[in-house]
Amino acid sequence: MIQKVSHIGIAVRDLQAAIEVYKKLGLVVEGIETVESQKVRVAFLPIGKEVRIELLEPTSDESPIARFIEKKGEGIHHLALATDNIENELKQAEAQELQLIDKTPRQGAHHASIGFLHPKAMKGVLLELCQEKDG
Ligand code: ZN
């Protein structure tokens, strides 16, 4: 079952510069992590207790985030919704004939299991489903 908004991913060219901007709103960096599989460096900034902003900086020109910035510029990249059962959620989405990028979960930042639905399926929004480590 989808339970809440987990995070909003924002593609940025320069992680440190982006952090400085978001700090001006009083937000605090909770952690910075490199996700090798996605070729990104990610900074997490909590909004309240449950939601985070994820700033995503490409670590390579082949990173999906680099390609996104090249095409569209910096900005909101994806919306992530938390689920208590990622495998089931992806199966159900497939059964509903939603176009999936990931048919089976893969490892995301924060040790979460994640899977993406194609923006074509979700009215222009790249939607991430994620099961957080504890939930
Ligand atoms: Zn994400």
Side-chain angles (χ1 to χ4, degrees):
M1 194 171 79
I2 289 175
Q3 297 170 315
K4 60 175 186 175
V5 173
S6 165
H7 60 269
I8 295 155
I10 300 175
V12 303
R13 285 195 178 87
D14 179 332
L15 192 62
Q16 201 50 50
I19 287 170
E20 292 309 318
V21 170
Y22 279 84
K23 271 186 178 171
K24 290 180 183 177
L25 292 176
L27 301 179
V28 175
V29 175
E30 178 188 57
I32 295 178
E33 192 180 318
T34 299
V35 184
E36 296 294 347
S37 61
Q38 290 294 294
K39 301 188 174 74
V40 287
R41 217 154 62 93
V42 188
F44 306 95
L45 295 87
I47 313 280
K49 288 196 175 115
E50 299 208 310
V51 181
R52 292 188 182 90
I53 285 180
E54 257 188 28
L55 301 172
L56 305 151
E57 174 198 64
T59 57
S60 146
D61 289 346
E62 284 126 58
S63 165
I65 297 298
R67 289 199 295 268
F68 176 89
I69 291 173
E70 202 175 295
K71 265 201 206 156
K72 298 189 174 173
E74 293 180 301
I76 292 182
H77 175 259
H78 66 272
L79 170 66
L81 303 178
T83 169
D84 56 359
N85 186 337
I86 181 75
E87 265 140 41
N88 204 23
E89 217 67 67
L90 291 173
K91 267 187 203 136
Q92 276 190 24
E94 193 176 18
Q96 294 293 326
E97 299 182 346
L98 294 172
Q99 191 180 342
L100 301 177
I101 294 172
D102 302 296
K103 290 195 176 180
T104 52
R106 58 180 148 118
Q107 177 95 43
H110 251 62
H111 308 288
S113 295
I114 66 169
F116 283 97
L117 273 65
H118 201 284
K120 277 181 192 156
M122 303 315 292
K123 302 293 177 190
V125 177
L126 175 60
L127 197 73
E128 175 186 332
L129 297 171
C130 67
Q131 184 174 1
E132 290 163 8
K133 202 184 168 192
D134 307 328

